[in-house]
Amino acid sequence: MPELPEVETIARNLREGSGIQPALPGLRVRDAHLFWERTLACPSVDEFYQRLPGQMVEKVWRRGKFLVLSLNQDHLLIHLRMSGDLLVEGEHDPVAPHHRLLVRFDAPYRLAFNDPRKFGRVWLLDSTEEIFLSLGPEPLGEEFTADALYSRLMERHRQLKPLLLDQSFIAGLGNIYTDEALHRAGLHPLMLSDQVSPEQAHRLWEGIRLVLEEGIRRNGASIDWVYRGGDFQNYFRVYQRTGNPCPVCGTPVERIVVGQRGTHYCPHCQPFL
Ligand SMILES: [Zn+2]
């Protein structure tokens, strides 16, 4: 499932173009076609078909795990969920299986939303606020400081793993980057948030930023989903490395289930105190 670094990588490719693939900003929408109507969360299909044509892509950005195409009037929000992917294709390319939405431009290109498992969603909204108001801070944003993280941890009484996965606590983390960040911080996934010391909060803040920055630098991780091109999966320290030696201390990595999510950690580096 794509997390912040994977979504950021897709946003960057759409923003800047790559190879023969054009950058989206500056392109004007000609029309759109849904192959699976439930991909569209909002508005109605009719309204979507009416509002989108003629709008120009001004900006491509990311908030948490949402990808945003800001148009000259509205914003197209896309959440890839389990298996979604965005592709820029030639206007006459054959329509691949699992394409759920095509946005065609006044240029020989189209944007395709491909989603085999159909969990991905698209919104066309005049403001992003309604959706983004409930999201926690951006972990790579300036306002997300170690002090800010510490105060937020103190306000909750929850185990670290599920808390970090909670998008209203912090936006963009999923199973991979949470496990990796907790390992860098030397914190047990079941530790309670309000028992974290200021020094531990600082290590967690550093760990979160480090793994996300490295993930982005490596174009994300190619694992569990259709996304291709990233190689951060070759640098995991604990995620899906059960039984392999911890790269720091050599102790075999263990796996437990926390809130129905497989959780990987080193019992030596991340003791449960
Ligand atoms: Zn270790």
Side-chain angles (χ1 to χ4, degrees), residues 183 238 245-253 265-270:
H183 181 268
V238 288
C246 162
V248 175
C249 73
T251 306
V253 170
Y265 72 106
C266 168
H268 179 77
C269 297
Q270 299 165 262

Side-chain angles (χ1 to χ4, degrees), residues 65-82:
K65 300 181 201 169
F66 287 86
L67 202 127
V68 189
L69 269 63
S70 287
L71 310 165
N72 55 310
Q73 281 173 37
D74 293 314
H75 304 272
L76 191 68
L77 270 62
I78 301 158
H79 199 300
L80 304 170
R81 298 264 167 80
M82 301 296 286

Side-chain angles (χ1 to χ4, degrees), residues 80-140:
L80 304 170
R81 298 264 167 80
M82 301 296 286
S83 63
D85 197 9
L86 287 166
L87 308 154
V88 177
E89 303 176 328
E91 61 178 338
H92 300 304
D93 286 356
V95 174
H98 312 307
H99 273 11
R100 307 301 176 202
L101 165 69
L102 291 181
V103 176
R104 289 183 284 223
F105 298 105
D106 275 341
Y109 304 107
R110 67 188 189 208
L111 178 68
F113 180 56
N114 188 282
D115 187 21
R117 298 184 63 180
K118 298 182 178 170
F119 291 113
R121 289 293 176 268
V122 170
W123 297 255
L124 184 69
L125 303 166
D126 56 10
S127 157
T128 59
E129 220 163 273
E130 182 189 332
I131 304 258
F132 291 170
L133 214 59
S134 61
L135 289 182
E138 273 299 312
L140 297 175

Side-chain angles (χ1 to χ4, degrees), residues 124-200:
L124 184 69
L125 303 166
D126 56 10
S127 157
T128 59
E129 220 163 273
E130 182 189 332
I131 304 258
F132 291 170
L133 214 59
S134 61
L135 289 182
E138 273 299 312
L140 297 175
E142 275 177 24
E143 75 283 10
F144 183 69
T145 61
D147 286 346
L149 174 61
Y150 179 67
S151 349
R152 288 178 77 75
L153 289 168
M154 290 308 107
E155 288 163 7
R156 315 285 177 110
H157 180 69
R158 285 180 70 190
Q159 294 169 333
L160 289 178
K161 172 74 188 257
L163 183 59
L164 293 172
L165 290 177
D166 181 343
Q167 300 298 299
S168 69
F169 181 77
I170 182 170
L173 293 179
N175 222 22
I176 296 175
Y177 293 90
T178 301
D179 282 4
E180 291 295 315
L182 285 170
H183 181 268
R184 311 262 168 152
L187 297 176
H188 195 283
L190 297 181
M191 187 177 185
L192 287 169
S193 58
D194 52 3
Q195 286 169 15
V196 171
S197 71
E199 193 262 328
Q200 288 171 323

